[in-house]
């Protein structure tokens, strides 16, 4: 087998000056980056997803079920028929939801359009709405006592010495008189 000898440095320079080397191929940008603007426009125009459902979920299922359920995502079918709405449900409420599937899908048809959602997929797990609902309610501000009742209460406690006991009795008296009204 015959091997050619390597070129000398001068010959190598001549060869390289005659032949241009190609620059390496650039890595294509991520598809999500180039499609982001297009997707935003489509979402504004046709934005039917769990975000749109969460805003109106109380209207669809009612306040009691809305506290114990939340829409997670809409799964489109491969055949092009109606999709599946995945619901996260808090514990035993799943049986209630299962009985109300026809009513819920009818209401979803009104909101999203006929046939967008044809089935419900129930997944049991923690619900964010339940955590927000379990926060202690803020105390309501009660209206002040009318002047005549306040005067009668102060007169009945006038013989008590000033101090924390008198303040506590005034507070208790105001609470009792408000509840009587």
């Amino acid at each position: 087998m015959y091997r050619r000898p390597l070129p000398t440095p001068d010959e190598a320079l001549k060869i390289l000056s005659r032949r241009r080397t190609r620059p390496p191929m650039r890595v294509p940008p991520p598809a999500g980056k180039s499609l982001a603007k297009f997707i935003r426009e489509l979402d504004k125009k046709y934005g039917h997803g769990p975000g749109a459902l969460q805003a109106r979920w109380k209207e669809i299922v009612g306040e009691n079920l809305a506290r114990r359920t939340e829409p997670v995502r809409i799964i489109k079918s491969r055949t092009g028929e109606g999709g599946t709405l995945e619901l996260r449900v808090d514990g035993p409420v799943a049986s209630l939801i299962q009985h109300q599937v026809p009513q819920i899908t009818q209401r979803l048809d009104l909101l999203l359009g006929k046939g967008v959602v044809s089935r419900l997929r129930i997944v049991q797990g923690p619900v964010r709405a339940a955590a927000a609902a379990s926060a202690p309610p803020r105390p309501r501000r009660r209206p002040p006592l009318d002047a005549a009742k306040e005067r009668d209460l102060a007169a009945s406690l006038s013989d008590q010495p000033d101090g924390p006991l008198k303040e506590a009795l005034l507070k208790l008296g105001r609470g009792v008189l408000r509840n009587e009204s």
Side-chain angles (χ1 to χ4, degrees):
M1 190 161 127
Y2 173 74
R3 286 191 147 187
R4 243 176 51 187
L6 290 175
T8 63
D10 291 333
E11 291 174 337
L13 284 174
K14 281 183 187 177
I15 293 170
L16 288 175
S17 67
R18 279 185 285 157
R19 291 187 182 171
R20 288 191 160 181
T21 58
R22 270 198 242 167
M25 289 191 62
R26 227 184 321 162
V27 178
K33 186 175 182 181
S34 59
L35 292 176
K37 182 180 176 186
F38 180 68
I39 290 173
R40 256 185 265 121
E41 289 174 8
L42 285 176
D43 192 35
K44 284 180 187 175
K45 191 172 182 181
Y46 303 104
H48 302 306
L53 289 178
Q54 285 176 347
R56 302 184 73 182
W57 192 240
K58 276 186 186 177
E59 297 173 28
I60 295 170
V61 294
E63 192 169 334
N64 288 334
L65 288 179
R67 275 188 262 131
R68 296 174 183 238
T69 61
E70 70 178 344
V72 178
R73 62 185 175 154
I74 296 176
I75 305 165
K76 297 187 178 184
S77 72
R78 292 180 182 167
T79 60
E81 296 171 8
T84 304
L85 174 65
E86 185 174 307
L87 282 180
R88 185 174 298 132
V89 177
D90 187 25
V93 179
S95 61
L96 293 173
I97 292 290
Q98 207 156 11
H99 287 290
Q100 294 186 3
V101 166
Q103 291 90 357
I104 292 172
T105 53
Q106 284 176 350
R107 292 176 188 157
L108 288 170
D109 283 346
L110 291 174
L111 179 68
L112 301 176
K114 185 103 173 121
V116 174
V117 174
S118 61
R119 296 179 351 147
L120 294 182
R121 180 175 172 223
I122 300 169
V123 178
Q124 291 185 348
V127 178
R128 280 184 267 144
S134 66
R138 291 180 29 192
R140 292 181 300 168
R141 290 201 67 155
R142 295 182 178 169
L145 222 54
D146 65 339
K149 288 184 179 179
E150 184 74 38
R151 186 183 62 237
D152 292 342
L153 180 62
S156 67
L157 294 173
S158 63
D159 58 340
Q160 293 292 325
D162 288 340
L165 178 62
K166 186 173 183 178
E167 291 300 317
L169 289 172
L170 277 169
K171 189 175 178 182
L172 176 67
R174 287 183 188 121
V176 169
L177 291 174
R178 277 191 199 111
N179 288 339
E180 285 179 358
S181 303

